[in-house]
Amino acid sequence: MNNNLHVIVRDGQVYTSLTTHSLPDVIPHEPPWDPREDYDSSPDDSNMPLTTRWAYGARPWFPLVPLNPSFNGPIFGCLNHSRFSLLTEVDTSGRHILHCDIRAKWVDLEQKLLWCQERLGAGLLIPWGTKLPCPPTTYGYQRWHTDVNLAKKIAIRSRDAFLLIAATCLWYIMTRRYQGANQWTAILMSDPQRPIPAEWVLKLLHSFVGDLTTNVPRTGALISSIHCPWQVQLPMFEKFSLPIWVHVSGDTSAAVDFTLRHYIPSPAAITHATEAVQCKQTPDTWGQPDDSAWGQPEDNTQSVLNWDDSILGWGQNSGAQPVSDVPEAHADSLFPVSQPHSRQKQGEDFKAFFAQRCQENQRKEEMETPAQQQSRQSHERAAMNHSIPGKSSTVVVFEWQPNDDFGGFRQCIRLTKAEIPMTWMSYSKSTRVYDSFCNEWDLCDALDLTSIPDGDWEEDDFPPAPAPAEPTPAPPAPPPPLSSFLKDIEAYFGHYEVAPSTQYTRSVERFVSILHFHLRFHLAASTTTP
C-alpha cells in the first residue's frame, strides 16, 4: 500500500486517492462496464461539464474542466455573465436571441480557442477513439428562441461549453509538458499560416487554460477499481495532481485492474477509515446542560458568546420542539428564508437537499409494506414518460429558482397548477427529478447545465411562409349571341348531339364553308354580311 494513499469511506463504500483528502459533494451513479467492449458503456457525460463524472474512455480531457471557474481577465471576461446580467434582442416576430455585442465577442473567442485546440493537438499521439467536445455554437447561443428565459438559459449552457474547449487545450498542453516539450506557447506564436500574437498567448498562459497548478480546482474523475480506461493518461494525471478517486469494489472476487493496483488499500486501512466515520456519526451532547457544553463557562453563569437561546430555535430546558412549516426570521442573512412545505432548510443548496432526501428515501424503503411499495412503484412507472401533470393530478411540482437577492442561491418554490405547463417545457428529462415516496417533481436546471429543454423545438427556424398563389386567370369571355340563322342550325344539329363552338360560329362564311366541304351543302342566297 502506498504511504500517500488516502482512504475515504462514505455510505459504506470505499474510495482512495493519491491527490486529494476528500470526496466530491455528490457522487453520480456508477455506470456499468462490459469487459467485452473497448470502452465502458457510460453515457455521454459531456453534458455535465461542471461536475465530477466517472471516467469515460473517449474523453480523457474531462477531468481538466475547471471547477467553479471565475470568468475574468482579458480573454474570458466576455463570458462573465449570469442569467440576470445577460442582454437579449427581440425581432418583429417576438423571438429572442443573445445581444449582438455579447454574441460577437463569444463568436470571436470561440474561433480563437478552436484554432488553439487544433494547433496544440497537431502531431500528438492521442488515445484511439478520443472524442473532442462540440463547439459552443452547437449549444444554441446563435439561434433565435421564442422565450427570453429560454434564450438566457441556452446562452448560459453555451457559455459553459467554452470550458470544454478550454479543458481540451489544457489536456494538449499537459500532454506536451508530460512528454518533455514545454514550448507550447511557441507553437501558437510561430504557426506559419496564422500566428497568434504573443500578447494574446501570454494572457492565455495566465488564465485557467495555462495554469496547471493546484491553484485552479478541477472536476477530476471517478474510476472503478475493476477497469481503468486511462492506462496511459493516469500517470500523467497523477503527476499534475489532478483529483482522481478510485472506487474499491466490495466484491472480493472481482479482479482489480493492474493499472490501479497502487490504489488498493490494506484491510487495516479500510478498518481504520470506517471506524473514523463511525466516530463522527456518533451522537454528541452538544446543546445539553452538562459540564462540557460548548460555549459555556465553567460556572454556567453566562454564555461565553452571549447568544440568546431563542436564536437556536429551542430553549435550554424545553426539550425537542415540533417543526413548523411557517418560515421564521433567521439571523443568517446570507440565505433566503425557506418556502413553506418545500422541506429545504435555510442555506441548504440543491445538492445537499437531494443527497439528504436520497438517504431518507432509503430508510423509508426499508420500512414500507408490500402494498406501499406496489403503490410507489406504480407512480414511478407512470412518471417515466415525463408527461405534464394535469389539473386533476395529485403530484406536487417544485422549481429550484435562483434568487437574485442572494447571489443566485437556488430556492425551492412550489408551483401552482397554472404555472406547471409552461414551466415544465423549460426543462428536460435530465433536469426533472421525481420522488416516488412523496409523489413530487423537482425541476432544477443546475442538474444538467447544458440540457436542451423539451420546449426547445420552438427555437428552430420557422419555415418560410408559402409564396402567394398566382392569380387565377379570368374565365374566357362568353361567345357573342347567335343570329337567328345560327340558332336554327344549332337547334337542328343539337338534336343530333353536335355541340356548337366558337370555331363554327365565328361567321356565316366559316359555317357555310364547313357545310359545303363536309355535307356538300350549297347555299343559294348570299352569305355576305351587310
Side-chain angles (χ1 to χ4, degrees):
M1 174 179 167
N2 194 317
N3 294 331
N4 298 324
L5 187 65
H6 307 291
V7 183
I8 313 165
V9 177
R10 179 187 291 182
D11 298 332
Q13 302 296 317
V14 179
Y15 303 85
T16 59
S17 177
L18 292 173
T19 55
T20 181
H21 296 76
S22 59
L23 288 171
D25 294 336
V26 177
I27 298 179
H29 175 70
E30 181 180 1
W33 177 74
D34 188 349
R36 295 170 297 181
E37 301 290 340
D38 292 336
Y39 299 104
D40 59 86
S41 58
S42 61
D44 183 355
D45 291 336
S46 61
N47 290 334
M48 298 287 287
L50 298 183
T51 58
T52 303
R53 309 301 298 167
W54 288 89
Y56 188 36
R59 290 172 177 82
W61 44 265
F62 211 95
L64 284 86
V65 174
L67 186 65
N68 300 323
S70 177
F71 294 108
N72 51 22
I75 294 182
F76 295 98
C78 62
L79 302 176
N80 190 19
H81 288 283
S82 66
R83 294 178 67 174
F84 309 103
S85 64
L86 281 174
L87 300 178
T88 59
E89 298 176 3
V90 60
D91 64 0
T92 55
S93 62
R95 296 187 301 170
H96 297 263
I97 194 174
L98 187 64
H99 193 273
C100 61
D101 294 340
I102 304 176
R103 195 167 68 249
K105 294 179 181 179
W106 287 18
V107 170
D108 179 68
L109 177 60
E110 178 179 343
Q111 293 174 348
K112 291 179 179 178
L113 289 179
L114 290 176
W115 176 250
C116 292
Q117 174 183 283
E118 180 180 349
R119 297 310 308 152
L120 291 172
L124 287 179
L125 295 177
I126 62 176
W128 177 260
T130 298
K131 297 180 181 179
L132 298 181
C134 297
T137 298
T138 60
Y139 289 82
Y141 75 90
Q142 294 196 67
R143 297 202 302 265
W144 291 89
H145 311 280
T146 56
D147 179 75
V148 62
N149 293 325
L150 182 61
K152 289 186 176 183
K153 177 181 178 180
I154 292 177
I156 294 297
R157 176 184 65 182
S158 303
R159 182 205 65 180
D160 293 336
F162 280 88
L163 298 175
L164 305 181
I165 307 297
T168 307
C169 292
L170 183 59
W171 177 56
Y172 286 147
I173 295 172
M174 177 183 290
T175 303
R176 291 185 177 276
R177 290 188 57 181
Y178 185 70
Q179 295 175 356
N182 295 328
Q183 301 300 323
W184 64 270
T185 55
I187 296 175
L188 300 180
M189 293 185 293
S190 61
D191 184 86
Q193 298 180 2
R194 195 185 305 172
I196 301 177
E199 182 182 359
W200 194 90
V201 176
L202 183 62
K203 295 175 182 178
L204 185 67
L205 175 64
H206 291 91
S207 69
F208 53 75
V209 174
D211 192 349
L212 278 172
T213 66
T214 56
N215 295 330
V216 180
R218 308 285 173 179
T219 57
L222 293 154
I223 305 178
S224 172
S225 62
I226 301 176
H227 170 65
C228 177
W230 296 333
Q231 289 88 351
V232 179
Q233 303 294 317
L234 185 61
M236 180 176 68
F237 293 160
E238 294 172 352
K239 178 179 179 180
F240 290 95
S241 300
L242 277 183
I244 298 294
W245 298 272
V246 172
H247 176 226
V248 181
S249 175
D251 186 3
T252 56
S253 62
V256 176
D257 192 294
F258 183 78
T259 310
L260 303 174
R261 64 190 185 281
H262 56 294
Y263 280 91
I264 305 304
S266 63
I270 296 177
T271 303
H272 178 74
T274 304
E275 292 176 350
V277 172
Q278 293 175 350
C279 291
K280 292 181 179 180
Q281 295 177 347
T282 303
D284 55 21
T285 57
W286 180 79
Q288 299 297 328
D290 60 340
D291 295 337
S292 61
W294 176 80
Q296 296 288 341
E298 294 182 359
D299 56 359
N300 291 329
T301 55
Q302 186 179 2
S303 172
V304 174
L305 299 180
N306 198 23
W307 279 2
D308 190 282
D309 290 335
S310 60
I311 295 179
L312 300 178
W314 62 84
Q316 182 176 357
N317 298 318
S318 59
Q321 298 294 323
V323 179
S324 173
D325 289 330
V326 180
E328 299 178 357
H330 199 281
D332 188 0
S333 60
L334 297 178
F335 302 100
V337 177
S338 301
Q339 294 295 308
H341 309 292
S342 67
R343 298 196 303 277
Q344 179 191 17
K345 301 175 183 178
Q346 187 170 21
E348 182 182 41
D349 63 3
F350 69 95
K351 293 181 180 179
F353 176 86
F354 289 133
Q356 178 65 25
R357 190 174 67 179
C358 181
Q359 296 178 1
E360 294 177 356
N361 289 346
Q362 290 178 355
R363 291 192 291 267
K364 291 179 181 179
E365 186 175 7
E366 295 174 356
M367 302 294 294
E368 67 180 350
T369 63
Q372 292 173 339
Q373 183 183 31
Q374 183 178 3
S375 176
R376 178 179 58 82
Q377 293 176 348
S378 175
H379 289 160
E380 284 183 348
R381 289 190 295 268
M384 289 179 63
N385 58 1
H386 285 244
S387 58
I388 302 177
K391 293 183 178 180
S392 59
S393 175
T394 58
V395 69
V396 180
V397 180
F398 293 93
E399 184 184 23
W400 290 79
Q401 303 174 0
N403 193 323
D404 194 20
D405 295 334
F406 293 88
F409 180 82
R410 295 188 179 275
Q411 194 171 8
C412 186
I413 306 296
R414 180 172 178 172
L415 300 179
T416 63
K417 292 288 186 180
E419 294 172 331
I420 291 177
M422 290 300 297
T423 308
W424 189 270
M425 299 306 295
S426 298
Y427 294 84
S428 64
K429 288 187 176 181
S430 60
T431 54
R432 304 190 197 104
V433 178
Y434 178 68
D435 181 14
S436 59
F437 290 90
C438 298
N439 195 24
E440 296 175 355
W441 280 99
D442 284 274
L443 312 180
C444 182
D445 54 10
L447 295 173
D448 189 349
L449 297 174
T450 58
S451 67
I452 300 178
D454 288 348
D456 209 21
W457 61 270
E458 298 177 337
E459 73 189 51
D460 296 333
D461 294 333
F462 292 96
E470 297 183 358
T472 306
L482 302 177
S483 64
S484 59
F485 173 72
L486 294 178
K487 288 181 180 179
D488 294 339
I489 296 299
E490 179 188 4
Y492 176 79
F493 284 100
H495 178 71
Y496 294 98
E497 298 181 356
V498 180
S501 65
T502 55
Q503 183 181 3
Y504 287 84
T505 58
R506 287 179 182 174
S507 64
V508 176
E509 292 84 356
R510 176 66 175 164
F511 184 70
V512 169
S513 65
I514 294 174
L515 292 177
H516 173 72
F517 287 106
H518 290 274
L519 301 177
R520 302 298 179 181
F521 179 78
H522 296 277
L523 185 65
S526 173
T527 58
T528 305
T529 359

